Amino acid sequence: CSTATHLKIGQKLNEGKTKQIFELPDQPGLVLVQSKDQITAGNAVRKDQMEGKAAISNKTTSCVFQLLQESGIKTAFVKQHSDTAFMAAHCEMIPIEWVCRRVATGSFLKRNPGVKEGYRFSPLKLEMFFKDDANNDPQWSEEQLLEAKFCLAGLTIGQCEVDIMNRSTVAIFEILEKAWATQNCDGIPTVFVAVAGRSNGLGPVMSGNTAYPVINCPPLTPDWGSQDVWSSLRMPSGLGCSTVLSPEAAAQFAAQIFGLSDHLVWCKLRASMLNTWVSLKLADKKLQACSL
Ligand SMILES: *[C@@H]1O[C@H](CO)[C@@H](O)[C@H](O)[C@H]1NC(C)=O
Ligand SMILES: *[C@@H]1O[C@H](CO)[C@@H](O)[C@H](O)[C@H]1NC(C)=O
């Protein structure tokens, strides 16, 4: 990250518990989001410890934003300015905190007695909280959010906006979960094989609802088979599932996809190629011996 270049800092626009927001007079549309840790730290010893922690946190924060940005998720983040500040788009904040969980822990257990720590949510568990310090950020329902009829920057928060926030939270969670899983090497590699007769739209529909690879393997019948295959081949834009006609080919292709990240699968495929070649070579030799 770049060292703090000179940036003309304007008036303070807002201040929360951990951050201050400053106008940037030379950068219309942008603000500076400054961490308050440096200012509020107490005695020198404590300050040292906090600074070390802050640096790691901030690095994580900006790496997360960068990953989201590079993935194509729109965020307010523009760039890191210093160890404790970043530049962001000047936005109005919808006063809702969305929380997405894969496992039950922390405050969820207190609010849902009887649920054991570590309970796994599939699909993900989504919750929302109204940002209201005075009332300790109460949990809200979707209906409460709709009835609040928030209007921010000229936009009224209705069902469409709520659905977008909901889906965005889930997508961002899945992106971060995926990124962290590669660090722990515990991600579950997944390929879907869609097998549906007649007008087999199953694979394309699945493909539109997952980022994992989908292989169509329609069971073709003599009567309508040649027409039915078109549902797997001619798809709406944005879909990229493949189509093969035999179950063996579907398994082979799935194995090749797994082989990209699993060297044991790749080794089996490579050995199988060799074994096929050797048996053809031997058969050829036998054939030549017969014909001589
Ligand atoms: C830096 O880290 C501290 C401590 O975790 C945090 O409070 C602060 O918001 C972070 N600053 C930025 C700019 O992300
Ligand atoms: C998010 O959307 C899903 C699916 O539409 C819905 O079941 C869920 O209740 C929503 N969650 C929240 C917190 O609004």
Side-chain angles (χ1 to χ4, degrees):
C1 46
S2 59
T3 51
T5 45
H6 184 70
L7 196 63
K8 198 171 159 203
I9 298 183
Q11 69 182 69
K12 187 161 77 188
L13 297 170
N14 210 339
E15 177 158 2
K17 275 176 287 187
T18 62
K19 290 181 189 68
Q20 295 168 315
I21 314 288
F22 293 99
E23 208 169 43
L24 294 175
D26 297 335
Q27 316 254 348
L30 299 187
V31 294
L32 190 74
V33 181
Q34 172 72 56
S35 160
K36 276 170 30 172
D37 285 359
Q38 268 185 340
I39 303 159
T40 56
N43 68 55
V45 180
R46 239 182 91 209
K47 191 179 163 195
D48 262 15
Q49 287 170 342
M50 288 182 73
E51 275 181 357
K53 206 176 154 196
I56 293 169
S57 282
N58 285 322
K59 204 166 171 204
T60 309
T61 305
S62 55
C63 284
V64 163
F65 274 124
Q66 212 172 318
L67 171 68
L68 293 176
Q69 211 170 30
E70 283 171 14
S71 306
I73 300 281
K74 292 171 194 152
T75 74
F77 181 82
V78 175
K79 66 173 185 183
Q80 186 157 17
H81 169 65
S82 69
D83 280 353
T84 55
F86 63 87
M87 286 158 73
H90 187 179
C91 300
E92 279 192 51
M93 188 184 77
I94 302 165
I96 295 289
E97 179 178 340
W98 288 82
V99 174
C100 195
R101 302 175 188 275
R102 176 65 78 196
V103 294
T105 187
S107 70
F108 184 90
L109 300 177
K110 292 197 194 105
R111 284 181 285 109
N112 298 269
V115 179
K116 283 201 185 65
E117 170 127 44
Y119 179 98
R120 222 180 138 73
F121 301 111
S122 185
L124 293 165
K125 176 62 87 187
L126 258 195
E127 298 174 312
M128 66 172 100
F129 298 86
F130 175 48
K131 300 288 283 177
D132 178 12
D133 278 343
N135 289 301
N136 237 333
D137 297 350
Q139 185 172 14
W140 267 20
S141 64
E142 190 174 306
E143 291 74 17
Q144 281 173 291
L145 173 52
L146 289 169
E147 289 295 320
K149 297 193 170 62
F150 287 124
C151 187
L152 298 135
L155 179 74
T156 302
I157 306 303
Q159 187 69 58
C160 170
E161 290 70 29
V162 173
D163 290 346
I164 291 172
M165 288 189 276
N166 182 323
R167 290 293 188 107
S168 303
T169 307
V170 171
I172 289 165
F173 184 98
E174 288 179 1
I175 286 173
L176 298 180
E177 183 179 49
K178 192 85 186 163
W180 270 302
T182 62
Q183 299 294 307
N184 307 330
C185 301
D186 65 354
I188 301 168
T190 305
V191 173
F192 291 105
V193 178
V195 182
R198 308 221 176 163
S199 181
N200 44 83
L202 176 66
V205 169
M206 274 169 81
S207 191
N209 285 285
T210 178
Y212 290 107
V214 175
I215 305 168
N216 300 306
C217 188
L220 300 184
T221 51
D223 51 348
W224 280 85
S226 55
Q227 272 84 332
D228 289 346
V229 77
W230 290 108
S231 305
S232 295
L233 291 178
R234 184 124 171 103
M235 292 174 297
S237 57
L239 302 185
C241 42
S242 68
T243 300
V244 295
L245 295 185
S246 74
E248 293 77 13
Q252 181 80 16
F253 189 38
Q256 284 166 343
I257 294 170
F258 292 135
L260 289 171
S261 55
D262 184 330
H263 70 280
L264 290 177
V265 175
W266 190 89
C267 295
K268 282 187 184 170
L269 290 167
R270 186 63 189 84
S272 149
M273 271 174 69
L274 171 70
N275 294 338
T276 306
W277 185 86
V278 169
S279 57
L280 285 174
K281 189 84 186 160
L282 293 177
D284 190 50
K285 188 183 165 192
K286 217 166 162 184
L287 203 64
Q288 290 196 25
C290 290
S291 54
L292 284 177

